[in-house]
Amino acid sequence: VTELDDRIRQSLARQASSLREQSDLEALGDRIAHRDGRRVGHQVHRAGRLGDSPREVHVAVAQSRQLMRQEAHVYALPAQVGVRMMIRGIGQFADPAHQLRPRCGETAPRTTRSPRTRVPANQRRRPTPGTASR
Amino acid sequence: VVPLGETAFESTPVPVDASWPTFADFYRATFTDMTRLAFLLTGSADTARDLVQDSFVRLHGKWDGVAEPRAYLRRTVVNACHSHHRRLRLQRRLRHSPTSQVDVVDLGADEMTDAIAALPYRQRAAVVLRFWHHCSEAEIAAALGCRPGTVGSLIHRALAELRKVMP
């Protein structure tokens, strides 16, 4: 054993002994549960409160959807309302969909106009006597 | 020179033929040792803890099929530390900044520690496994994924570098 070997051993041993690390079986269980897709709400909160490593916090955020799915609440439901109809004035509705320009490969939405009704001459309303102008 | 066999600094002695009845027993017996190994290879306590926990998670998935869990875990940790160094190199290259060289040894280090930390990763891993983990050349080769002859070459080149810091 040379002096160089001893110095290397001492240096590595001094560096390694400076690390006081305790096994954390619970944290390992959390990671294994996350790998298997099993993670529950209290673990999500605990990971953030303990100031875990950044990867853990990221995991906690990523699991929020599952948490919401398990504890479905009316306020947590995602919005399902498609806003297409707007009120532009009092009593006036407009659907802006037919105003959109068609993109490539699409057909323009067909707008149906009410056909102009022609009133036969014998059914036309006669002007009130005395009001007609000559 | 203090004989290191009498100090508490040696790596945790774990018998080679030890058998652990459960995964939890194996975890408790080897966690500190593996974390210190990762710490010597990365220089960061947080990174070492993270990588070792990930390695245990990988081992847990194959616990029933692994004949030598300690050797398997050692190789997993060494590979994880290697991947960590590769990510660091990539980050430094992308940032183009000399100040981005984080995660270097954050200890009250001496010249020898600095010299070991400055070695290329494979040389550093070979030195740590040889002089701290007391691994044979075959075990180091298995951990690094190379031939035993390559291990001798790695250690020889590493010692040539480390000899320069000797007074």
Side-chain angles (χ1 to χ4, degrees), chain A residues 5-133:
Chain A
D5 292 358
D6 280 340
R7 279 203 61 182
I8 293 171
R9 286 197 180 93
Q10 283 188 359
S11 177
L12 291 173
R14 194 180 306 115
Q15 189 181 350
S17 64
S18 67
L19 184 66
R20 303 293 179 190
E21 197 66 26
Q22 295 293 327
S23 61
D24 190 352
L25 196 58
E26 193 177 358
L28 180 68
D30 286 353
R31 289 196 184 214
I32 293 173
H34 172 255
R35 181 202 59 186
D36 297 341
R38 295 180 286 111
R39 196 166 176 99
V40 292
H42 71 93
Q43 289 174 327
V44 172
H45 295 300
R46 189 179 57 210
R49 191 173 63 247
L50 290 181
D52 217 331
S53 59
R55 190 178 296 180
E56 285 287 334
V57 174
H58 186 67
V59 166
V61 173
Q63 292 298 320
S64 60
R65 184 183 296 177
Q66 284 189 358
L67 181 67
M68 288 167 59
R69 195 177 301 158
Q70 290 172 359
E71 302 174 6
H73 195 269
V74 65
Y75 298 111
L77 291 175
Q80 297 286 344
V81 180
V83 180
R84 296 183 66 185
M85 187 170 288
M86 302 169 62
I87 300 177
R88 302 176 67 186
I90 298 176
Q92 179 184 9
F93 294 88
D95 188 353
H98 71 278
Q99 298 174 1
L100 297 175
R101 296 176 59 188
R103 287 176 293 186
C104 181
E106 291 182 351
T107 56
R110 179 174 294 178
T111 57
T112 56
R113 297 181 61 184
S114 58
R116 180 175 295 177
T117 54
R118 296 181 63 86
V119 181
N122 57 354
Q123 294 180 8
R124 288 179 186 166
R125 185 179 297 176
R126 293 181 179 178
T128 307
T131 58
S133 59

Side-chain angles (χ1 to χ4, degrees), chain A residues 25 28-36 38, chain B residues 22-27 52-66 69 72-73 76:
Chain A
L25 196 58
L28 180 68
D30 286 353
R31 289 196 184 214
I32 293 173
H34 172 255
R35 181 202 59 186
D36 297 341
R38 295 180 286 111
Chain B
T22 63
F23 180 79
D25 293 333
F26 175 75
Y27 174 78
V52 170
Q53 290 280 48
D54 278 348
S55 301
F56 272 106
V57 170
R58 287 198 181 94
L59 175 62
H60 180 266
K62 301 180 179 178
W63 177 250
D64 293 332
V66 175
Y72 183 91
L73 182 66
T76 308

Side-chain angles (χ1 to χ4, degrees), chain B residues 102-120:
Chain B
V102 293
D103 215 41
V104 185
V105 176
D106 52 357
L107 303 170
D110 56 2
E111 291 178 349
M112 183 59 73
T113 307
D114 291 339
I116 294 173
L119 290 173

Side-chain angles (χ1 to χ4, degrees), chain B residues 11-75:
Chain B
S11 66
T12 309
V14 179
V16 177
D17 58 346
S19 59
W20 295 272
T22 63
F23 180 79
D25 293 333
F26 175 75
Y27 174 78
R28 289 192 195 95
T30 55
F31 176 79
T32 305
D33 194 30
M34 287 299 163
T35 307
R36 287 180 171 173
L37 171 64
F39 179 54
L40 292 174
L41 294 178
T42 61
S44 165
D46 292 335
T47 305
R49 189 185 311 117
D50 201 33
L51 295 178
V52 170
Q53 290 280 48
D54 278 348
S55 301
F56 272 106
V57 170
R58 287 198 181 94
L59 175 62
H60 180 266
K62 301 180 179 178
W63 177 250
D64 293 332
V66 175
E68 296 182 6
R70 185 170 162 78
Y72 183 91
L73 182 66
R74 187 192 300 130
R75 174 157 190 174

